[in-house]
Amino acid sequence: MFSTALTWSDLAFLAQGAGMTLAVTAVSVAAGTVLGILFGIIRFQFGPYWSAPLTFALDIFRSVPLLIQLVLGNALQSIAKMGWPPFTTSCVVLSLYTAAYCTEIVRGGIDSVPVNTRRAARSLGMSWWQDMRYIVAPLAIRVSLPSWIGLTLGVMKDSALVLWLGLIELLRASQILVTRLQEPLFILLLCGAIYFVISLPIARFGRYLEERWSPND
Amino acid sequence: MIEIENVHKSFGPLEVLKGIDLTVKKGEVVTIIGGSGSGKSTLLTCINGLETIASGRVVIDGTDVHAKGTDLNKLRQKVGIVFQQWNAFPHLTVLENVMLAPRKVLGLSKEKAEEIAVKQLTHVGLAEKLGVYPNRMSGGQQQRMAIARALAMSPTYMLFDEVTSALDPMLVGEVLDTLRMLASEGMTMICVTHEMKFAREVSDRVAFFHQGIMAEIAPPEQLFDAPQHTETKKFLAATH
Ligand SMILES: Nc1ncnc2c1ncn2[C@@H]1O[C@H](COP(=O)(O)OP(=O)(O)OP(=O)(O)O)[C@@H](O)[C@H]1O
Ligand SMILES: [Mg+2]
């Protein structure tokens, strides 16, 4: 019969790790999305030439491995004597990383709204802002949603790297248990299952929205 | 009154409008005909300030459209425009398409905006389609919706840019009938069109554009039956 040394308190420890994963992901995705929307609008509005410096900066965040960004970010904040705890540093770095990807998603979404549709809105006397709010946003969100869900799930998995700054998130918590209990397969399976369970609602919610909108497109 | 004075407009090195003069009085219907690329659409977008101009003036009821301090959003409320490509807001129902601008731009209550929208949609024969999404309608119905959407802002002037040329021949009639109805109600209109028969019927004056110049403008009988300009003659011969 199957037996394990895993106790309830070990499970609680894993749950705490999952909580940390969720917290880092939620903060980073929220902040990264806000920044991404801002940068995406800037990129669209100012065109490739004027937004080149921004694009360049974001390209760095997209191409340098996240682990290096985290370690460098942590080093920088300590050199600059910011005194950030690892959680703050992790969230700041992950937010910028998320923003870099989100910017492209947002720009692509805005780009997908036909110029003529927007001209029609402006011709009715709508301001730039009203056009953005009532025409561009709803249409761009429909187009961008699948990529954004993908980004969120990706960031959740990538957030495991914050363990390098000493945060005990889900993967780190599992590692600690593996070392102590010497049951790697079972514990990693459990860890994977927890990742799956917390991803599921996000993926489901995305699919729900897509289905709700699709009949009108 | 729309006064267009010596308007020049270029896209990069290409001069698209080379000094257009045209005055359209209240209640007048002016149609614009001419070859592809002659600047007809560009003129319409310059009238409502969607495009800037290089020089000249467009004055609508005393307001200089392209002057610095002009509130274009306000000005556009009285100049409706309908384009060749159907551009419904695809995420909104027909009723919502028409209600949006009255609510958000004019600040009307939901009830009032809905009342106006239903009235305008009924006017163009779409009373049955209020809850339908635009992609479930034919091109002709979408164009009529676009007309109702513009009319819901109670514009003083309406600009139509080849509103039938992307439609199946079968559907052209219903849209032209809507335009005829508007003309007969006294709406001030500038219509760019390829429908010569329609132009002859509804117009007070017909303008012929050729390579960025208004080569000729005259009442329809004169322009169609006794054109003065050689290019007009050529164009009419080719379209008949
Ligand atoms: N946004 C733009 N950028 C660059 N060139 C443009 C732009 N819009 C129009 N043009 C050019 O300006 C010229 C006039 O275009 P316009 O659309 O006004 O012609 P038109 O008379 O409406 O023709 P059609 O009958 O084909 O609609 C064309 O050569 C066109 O290629
Ligand atoms: Mg045109």
Side-chain angles (χ1 to χ4, degrees):
Chain A
M1 203 35 213
F2 181 80
S3 76
T4 173
L6 200 72
T7 63
W8 285 110
S9 81
D10 292 337
L11 275 181
F13 182 62
L14 275 184
Q16 251 174 28
M20 178 58 83
T21 294
L22 275 177
V24 171
T25 307
V27 171
S28 307
V29 168
T33 302
V34 171
L35 280 177
I37 291 171
L38 194 69
F39 293 158
I41 292 174
I42 291 175
R43 277 212 53 186
F44 180 85
Q45 210 63 31
F46 291 89
Y49 183 78
W50 290 108
S51 46
L54 177 65
T55 310
F56 179 73
L58 295 176
D59 277 344
I60 294 177
F61 283 99
R62 292 201 301 164
S63 49
V64 174
L66 181 57
L67 177 57
I68 297 179
Q69 293 185 35
L70 281 166
V71 173
L72 286 182
N74 195 36
L76 273 180
Q77 71 84 20
S78 86
I79 290 169
K81 301 212 164 46
M82 306 290 270
W84 287 350
F87 181 80
T88 308
T89 312
S90 303
C91 287
V92 168
V93 173
L94 259 178
S95 297
L96 289 171
Y97 176 77
T98 310
Y101 283 96
C102 195
T103 299
E104 286 310 299
I105 295 176
V106 169
R107 192 192 55 82
I110 299 176
D111 236 353
S112 75
V113 180
V115 179
N116 286 319
T117 310
R118 302 191 58 180
R119 287 195 140 197
R122 297 305 302 272
S123 299
L124 290 166
M126 285 191 219
S127 62
W128 178 87
W129 171 246
Q130 288 173 325
D131 168 41
M132 273 293 178
R133 164 86 179 69
Y134 299 111
I135 308 300
V136 177
L139 294 174
I141 288 172
R142 281 160 170 69
V143 170
S144 308
L145 186 76
S147 317
W148 183 85
I149 296 280
L151 176 64
T152 301
L153 296 178
V155 168
M156 195 184 73
K157 285 178 281 180
D158 292 345
S159 74
L161 288 171
V162 304
L163 64 85
W164 285 89
L165 300 191
L167 283 187
I168 302 180
E169 45 63 70
L170 183 52
L171 188 63
R172 180 75 189 122
S174 311
Q175 277 182 349
I176 291 170
L177 290 183
V178 168
T179 315
R180 191 156 57 76
L181 304 175
Q182 295 299 320
E183 292 178 24
L185 280 185
F186 175 61
I187 290 171
L188 287 181
L189 208 63
L190 195 60
C191 171
I194 297 175
Y195 270 115
F196 179 71
V197 167
I198 53 186
S199 303
L200 205 62
I202 304 173
R204 271 292 163 82
F205 182 62
R207 204 154 322 134
Y208 162 77
L209 285 181
E210 267 178 71
E211 272 163 20
R212 222 186 75 171
W213 290 334
S214 63
N216 322 332
D217 301 330
Chain B
M1 189 159 73
I2 301 180
E3 296 156 280
I4 300 163
E5 292 167 19
N6 197 23
V7 164
H8 288 257
K9 164 80 187 169
S10 302
F11 289 111
L14 179 71
E15 191 172 26
V16 178
L17 298 177
K18 303 170 185 165
I20 302 294
D21 290 285
L22 173 66
T23 299
V24 181
K25 291 199 283 294
K26 283 249 170 79
E28 207 180 6
V29 176
V30 173
T31 53
I32 301 178
I33 61 173
S36 190
S38 57
K40 309 181 296 294
S41 302
T42 305
L43 181 69
L44 294 193
T45 50
C46 291
I47 292 176
N48 83 344
L50 278 176
E51 291 284 1
T52 56
I53 59 177
S55 64
R57 259 160 38 111
V58 178
V59 181
I60 299 180
D61 295 342
T63 308
D64 186 338
V65 177
H66 300 275
K68 257 213 175 75
T70 302
D71 183 349
L72 281 177
N73 297 332
K74 185 141 194 169
L75 188 99
R76 286 178 187 141
Q77 293 168 25
K78 63 170 157 188
V79 187
I81 186 165
V82 181
F83 301 93
Q84 172 176 358
Q85 309 84 358
W86 330 320
N87 35 39
F89 306 136
H91 58 302
L92 301 177
T93 63
V94 169
L95 183 63
E96 289 164 346
N97 259 271
V98 181
M99 280 172 64
L100 182 66
R103 284 201 67 190
K104 303 303 174 188
V105 178
L106 301 180
L108 300 182
S109 68
K110 189 158 179 277
E111 293 70 32
K112 186 74 190 144
E114 182 165 339
E115 184 193 320
I116 292 175
V118 170
K119 185 177 134 222
Q120 291 301 346
L121 284 164
T122 309
H123 201 46
V124 300
L126 291 175
E128 317 279 275
K129 298 283 180 187
L130 301 183
V132 172
Y133 281 93
N135 69 336
R136 296 273 186 272
M137 299 201 301
S138 72
Q141 289 168 333
Q142 291 201 38
Q143 276 304 42
R144 286 187 280 144
M145 187 208 74
I147 295 171
R149 192 171 64 182
L151 291 176
M153 298 296 285
S154 321
T156 317
Y157 307 99
M158 283 294 295
L159 314 177
F160 295 96
D161 188 4
E162 294 187 33
V163 289
T164 59
S165 57
L167 296 177
D168 280 355
M170 295 277 293
L171 303 175
V172 168
E174 62 187 62
V175 176
L176 290 186
D177 284 343
T178 307
L179 298 192
R180 282 190 191 98
M181 177 178 76
L182 283 181
S184 71
E185 290 165 2
M187 175 62 80
T188 312
M189 297 166 38
I190 303 181
C191 306
V192 173
T193 187
H194 285 311
E195 302 286 336
M196 298 303 156
K197 193 163 151 285
F198 167 78
R200 186 191 278 267
E201 277 171 45
V202 302
S203 314
D204 295 307
R205 286 182 297 158
V206 180
F208 171 70
F209 272 47
H210 180 66
Q211 294 177 356
I213 289 172
M214 193 165 73
E216 187 167 355
I217 180 161
E221 314 77 52
Q222 186 184 329
L223 190 121
F224 286 117
D225 300 331
Q228 303 296 305
H229 200 285
T230 46
E231 292 298 337
T232 320
K233 288 177 195 163
K234 269 198 229 163
F235 179 78
L236 290 175
T239 50
H240 274 301

